Amino acid sequence: MKEFVLKNKITIILSAIILVLLVSLFATSFGMENVETVDVSLGIVNTDYLNMRSGAGINFKSIDLLKKNEYVRIFGKIGDWYIIQNEKNKIGTVHQKYITPTSEEKTATTNAETVEEPSNLNLTQEESELLSLINNERNKNNLPNFEIDEKLQNVARLKAKDLVENSYFSHTSPNLGTPFEMLKDNGISYKTASENIAGNSSISGALESWLKSDNHKKNILSNDYNYTGISVVDSIAYGKIIVELFVGR
């Protein structure tokens, strides 16, 4: 927190100019004339994963993925959405209920009880590790981060469990059908979709294998997909079974 605050204090002279530009930018871009001022200038993310979007609404694309206890600078508000700057100096919006306002003088505390975050969005350590590694690869190629989708996450976990329990390794499940059938059966809409599966002893090893395969690498670095669901489960045969589903909307 101290480093974030100090870094922002260095540019405090420019903050007023930035705020004026932000208000003008967001008001022009989203057709909103009233951008509210706020009494706080610093906040902390109070949920495990939070999409920072390019506009004030869930229909705008995700431009970065914030993590729990990450600090953000708050410039203003459009409706229920804060205009923020994160620690990477990216500027975007997040819903206010996922940010706990704080001050530079006090230690921020989260208020998790007030946020009803779906449990199936709580990635395991290994799932989080793979998501981070994959988004790093996308960032190297100037691509936006994948966004975790709740329903897609459920299907990925369903498929991984099915692979292990029924001892097969294929994109087509004898019980659940193809990935496309699984998406349809679980009410997931999409324009484009695909699936990567791997059997490996480590997360990094699985990603390395995918990147050596043209088709798997294409899925990871495709601009056609913007949502993902990831599951990692233990496997006697492989060490770990990894499933990643991709959809574009």
Side-chain angles (χ1 to χ4, degrees):
M1 173 182 176
K2 290 183 178 179
E3 293 180 358
F4 179 61
V5 171
L6 288 173
K7 182 167 62 176
N8 281 273
K9 282 185 176 180
I10 295 174
T11 60
I12 193 66
I13 298 176
L14 300 176
S15 62
I17 298 174
I18 293 174
L19 180 56
V20 171
L21 291 175
L22 281 170
V23 170
S24 175
L25 173 63
F26 278 81
T28 301
S29 299
F30 311 131
M32 299 179 182
E33 298 179 356
N34 298 318
V35 176
E36 302 175 41
T37 58
V38 291
D39 296 330
V40 294
S41 61
L42 193 67
I44 184 171
V45 177
N46 61 26
T47 187
D48 289 337
Y49 294 93
L50 177 61
N51 291 300
M52 184 168 75
R53 299 182 181 274
S54 61
I58 60 174
N59 292 328
F60 290 90
K61 73 175 184 178
S62 173
I63 57 176
D64 206 351
L65 185 67
L66 307 181
K67 295 182 179 180
K68 192 170 186 176
N69 297 328
E70 184 173 339
Y71 288 88
V72 298
R73 179 68 62 183
I74 302 172
F75 293 109
K77 191 169 71 166
I78 300 175
D80 295 330
W81 293 74
Y82 281 137
I83 303 170
I84 66 154
Q85 178 185 30
N86 69 357
E87 296 181 5
K88 299 176 186 175
N89 291 321
K90 291 184 178 180
I91 294 174
T93 66
V94 294
H95 197 283
Q96 64 178 8
K97 74 176 181 178
Y98 298 117
I99 298 294
T100 301
T102 184
S103 66
E104 297 178 359
E105 292 78 18
K106 296 180 180 180
T107 302
T109 57
T110 61
N111 189 15
E113 292 182 359
T114 63
V115 179
E116 297 181 0
E117 184 69 12
S119 60
N120 43 17
L121 283 184
N122 294 328
L123 303 185
T124 67
Q125 181 177 350
E126 291 177 321
E127 291 164 354
S128 180
E129 178 186 352
L130 182 56
L131 177 64
S132 178
L133 290 172
I134 286 175
N135 279 335
N136 284 341
E137 290 296 324
R138 288 179 64 81
N139 293 161
K140 290 177 186 177
N141 290 270
N142 298 315
L143 294 168
N145 287 344
F146 277 137
E147 182 176 345
I148 289 291
D149 178 271
E150 178 182 352
K151 289 185 178 180
L152 206 58
Q153 185 69 20
N154 288 340
V155 176
R157 287 176 172 167
L158 185 65
K159 177 62 177 287
K161 181 181 179 182
D162 188 59
L163 284 166
V164 171
E165 291 183 351
N166 293 288
S167 301
Y168 72 98
F169 192 81
S170 170
H171 289 293
T172 301
S173 165
N175 302 311
L176 304 173
T178 68
F180 308 103
E181 290 171 331
M182 292 182 66
L183 295 178
K184 180 180 179 181
D185 290 343
N186 286 275
I188 298 175
S189 61
Y190 60 90
K191 293 180 180 178
T192 55
S194 192
E195 178 189 67
N196 280 0
I197 59 175
N200 204 289
S201 60
S202 69
I203 301 302
S204 58
L207 178 60
E208 183 178 352
S209 297
W210 281 347
L211 293 176
K212 289 179 180 179
S213 165
D214 290 340
N215 288 335
H216 293 90
K217 182 177 181 179
K218 183 178 179 181
N219 287 337
I220 292 171
L221 299 181
S222 174
N223 209 23
D224 292 334
Y225 306 125
N226 50 0
Y227 291 93
T228 191
I230 295 173
S231 180
V232 180
V233 296
D234 292 332
S235 164
I236 296 176
Y238 299 99
K240 299 180 188 301
I241 283 289
I242 299 100
V243 174
E244 180 168 18
L245 289 168
F246 311 84
V247 299
R249 295 184 180 131

